[in-house]
Amino acid sequence: MNFLPIAARLTLAMPFLLFMAGIALAQDVGNWSGHLILGGGAAPEYEGSEDYQLIPFAAGKVGYDDYYVETRGLGARANVLPGGLLPFGLEFGPVVNWHSGRDDVDNDRVDDLRDIDGTLEMGAFAKISTGNVMLEDDELAFEIEFLSDVGGEHDGTTISFGPSYSFSPVEKLHLGFDLSATYASGNYNDTYFSVDAANAARSGLSQYDADAGLKDIGVSVNATYQLTEHWGLTGIAKVTQLVGDAADSPIVDDEGSATQGVFLAGVLYSF
């Protein structure tokens, strides 16, 4: 049995499972809340690609008081800390993520490189936040997330971090802005951005050795418009700029693009 593809399918199914569990529990317990988002969008074929593909998008969250389980795309996290521990909000918990591989892509030279399988990553996140900074019910937060490969494909680690701010400029409309940066270990960058002698011979790309360092910086904007008490529309636009050794790789510099965009839209149901 091939465990990793099964794990990816289970991760995709989690928003539906969370939604159904939350609806059932909410009938009897008033402290339960959550939402489900279903939609689609466009994203690069692989990290550093200039070719885009259409993708399905699913996200969900079920919470009880300050505890919650949340899924976004192929990742999931859970907050395990109760509220009221500090004068500001503090969240912390485990993270699991399915990192897609690279094979059968449109770019002929990159397609000639050895295939990289998808892999399971696990780690943790922490988030601190405070509200009513500039407007009523707004939120200013800072988050850090650590992920390490447990599937044995890249054997590396990434650390993502950055601030966010969200507010409602008018009734029913909620906006959010995020800044982010990602540090990648040598094993991670070597797997996805290096070109060894064998791969250079296969593809015609120049040999390249990518080291550890800051991998990318990004900015994202999300908007949600509440149509009714339970139904709404939501969209996310994120632009990430690869930097350092990742951007200088011939996979990116010669055959792809250092500027990566992700655009998603969906229907929201909340309870």
Side-chain angles (χ1 to χ4, degrees):
M1 179 179 291
N2 193 331
F3 170 75
L4 295 181
I6 292 175
R9 295 188 191 104
L10 289 175
T11 304
L12 277 172
M14 283 184 68
F16 302 95
L17 300 177
L18 293 172
F19 176 72
M20 294 173 65
I23 287 290
L25 291 168
Q27 304 306 311
D28 300 316
V29 185
N31 288 334
W32 287 91
S33 64
H35 66 257
L36 173 69
I37 301 171
L38 295 176
E45 274 194 295
Y46 54 89
E47 199 169 16
S49 174
E50 65 178 1
D51 299 311
Y52 282 70
Q53 59 184 351
L54 297 177
I55 59 171
F57 174 64
K61 182 176 182 179
V62 168
Y64 180 80
D65 288 337
D66 295 301
Y67 304 100
Y68 64 79
V69 177
E70 178 181 31
T71 71
R72 290 180 288 184
L74 294 176
R77 61 166 62 178
N79 176 49
V80 299
L81 291 183
L85 295 178
L86 296 170
F88 50 84
L90 175 62
E91 300 169 19
F92 172 82
V95 180
V96 61
N97 182 64
W98 177 258
H99 193 293
S100 299
R102 186 181 68 212
D103 64 86
D104 193 24
V105 300
D106 286 343
N107 185 287
D108 291 336
R109 283 192 165 186
V110 177
D111 193 46
D112 287 337
L113 299 172
R114 285 189 297 268
D115 290 347
I116 302 174
D117 293 333
T119 191
L120 191 67
E121 300 172 326
M122 298 185 71
F125 85 100
K127 177 181 177 181
I128 57 173
S129 61
T130 186
N132 299 315
V133 179
M134 293 183 288
L135 298 172
E136 185 178 357
D137 295 328
D138 66 358
E139 180 186 80
L140 178 66
F142 184 88
E143 182 175 317
I144 184 168
E145 179 179 273
F146 168 91
L147 283 171
S148 188
D149 179 26
V150 297
E153 188 62 26
H154 63 74
D155 294 321
T157 298
T158 58
I159 303 173
S160 301
F161 52 93
S164 64
Y165 179 70
S166 61
F167 68 105
S168 294
V170 295
E171 187 180 2
K172 297 185 178 181
L173 177 64
H174 189 79
L175 299 177
F177 300 88
D178 299 76
L179 298 176
S180 64
T182 304
Y183 168 88
S185 69
N187 283 342
Y188 181 98
N189 278 346
D190 185 54
T191 300
Y192 296 103
F193 300 109
S194 288
V195 181
D196 61 19
N199 266 332
R202 292 162 60 105
S203 65
L205 294 174
S206 302
Q207 285 187 237
Y208 183 75
D209 184 17
D211 293 325
L214 191 65
K215 178 177 70 74
D216 63 56
I217 55 175
V219 59
S220 67
V221 179
N222 62 81
T224 298
Y225 186 79
Q226 207 69 35
L227 298 171
T228 67
E229 180 183 356
H230 296 292
W231 293 95
L233 300 175
T234 188
I236 302 170
K238 181 174 183 178
V239 177
T240 301
Q241 184 72 25
L242 295 174
V243 297
D245 280 18
D248 292 337
S249 167
I251 297 171
V252 179
D253 193 34
D254 296 342
E255 299 297 326
S257 173
T259 303
Q260 307 278 278
V262 176
F263 309 97
L264 303 167
V267 176
L268 166 75
Y269 181 83
S270 58
F271 59 92

